[in-house]
Amino acid sequence: MSLWGVMVCCARLSLVSNANKNNWLEKHINDLFTRLKNTSPDNEEDQSIIAMAASWLGRACPFVPHYQTVISKPQSDFRNQLQSCLPSLKIEEEKSLNSLPPVDLLLPDHNMVIEVQGSYHYVNGDYKTRKGSTLLKIALLQKSGFEVIEIPVNRVWNQDLMKPFIDQIKKRTNKQ
């Protein structure tokens, strides 16, 4: 649990553009990771935390974590809408990158990840304050060099609210 808390703190700081670098916190991640890496965690949550620590530190994960994949209806709806607007765009679903939990949609030719964020990604489901696990995943993806576009699920329910995200993706993939 200590490793989780330190990583979420680093993630929160890394997502603030003018924050100081987290060297002293990363030292704690390294110390905790070193103590835990030779354990065989039984549950997926502990495996996920150790895998995320390895990713944060740029080290190999000591095991292959197992993640369940679920394609939600909003994710599928957004993917279909995006594919219909950009038929030549290569889109992969539920892809695990760098031992991290799977991303909703990956645009591999553009190093871009699209995450359709349901209410469970937010504190109290308010679509304003993201939970630590969500912040950590986004920070790790960005640290790995991916551009991340987060789409609150309440924007996918309406095509007019979805359009700005499609336009943003068109612009960033140069497919106007």
Side-chain angles (χ1 to χ4, degrees):
M1 192 50 82
S2 297
L3 180 58
W4 173 254
V6 174
M7 286 193 314
V8 169
C9 186
C10 281
R12 286 190 187 281
L13 289 173
S14 76
L15 293 172
V16 176
S17 60
N18 60 354
N20 293 333
K21 292 298 174 196
N22 309 325
N23 292 339
W24 65 275
L25 286 172
E26 287 184 4
K27 181 187 176 312
H28 289 294
I29 293 174
N30 186 53
D31 292 345
L32 292 165
F33 176 77
T34 300
R35 281 190 266 157
L36 293 172
K37 74 177 182 179
N38 294 325
T39 64
S40 291
D42 295 341
N43 66 48
E44 288 181 24
E45 184 177 351
D46 289 346
Q47 286 183 2
S48 177
I49 292 168
I50 292 171
M52 286 190 237
S55 180
W56 192 279
L57 296 168
R59 294 164 84 184
C61 186
F63 50 83
V64 177
H66 172 73
Y67 298 108
Q68 292 182 8
T69 59
V70 177
I71 298 174
S72 69
K73 181 165 178 11
Q75 173 185 331
S76 181
D77 290 348
F78 186 80
R79 181 196 188 286
N80 292 341
Q81 184 68 30
L82 183 60
Q83 196 75 77
S84 72
C85 292
L86 300 166
S88 65
L89 187 65
K90 183 177 178 186
I91 303 172
E92 297 179 23
E93 283 186 289
E94 294 299 317
K95 180 86 171 174
S96 187
L97 306 165
N98 305 332
S99 298
L100 296 176
V103 299
D104 292 341
L105 303 173
L106 171 67
L107 310 181
D109 297 337
H110 303 281
N111 227 29
M112 188 182 300
V113 167
I114 301 165
E115 288 287 296
V116 179
Q117 309 290 38
S119 61
Y120 49 87
H121 287 279
Y122 299 90
V123 176
N124 299 323
D126 67 3
Y127 294 102
K128 294 177 186 161
T129 308
R130 293 173 293 180
K131 288 185 177 178
S133 56
T134 299
L135 289 171
L136 181 56
K137 182 178 177 183
I138 300 304
L140 284 166
L141 288 166
Q142 289 175 342
K143 190 173 172 91
S144 296
F146 293 94
E147 179 180 357
V148 181
I149 297 175
E150 294 180 83
I151 305 172
V153 74
N154 61 349
R155 301 289 178 95
V156 177
W157 296 326
N158 178 316
Q159 280 197 350
D160 291 337
L161 297 176
M162 198 185 318
K163 186 179 180 334
F165 293 102
I166 301 278
D167 291 344
Q168 178 185 13
I169 294 164
K170 282 181 182 177
K171 183 178 178 184
R172 293 214 169 112
T173 59
N174 296 317
K175 298 200 181 278
Q176 313 265 341

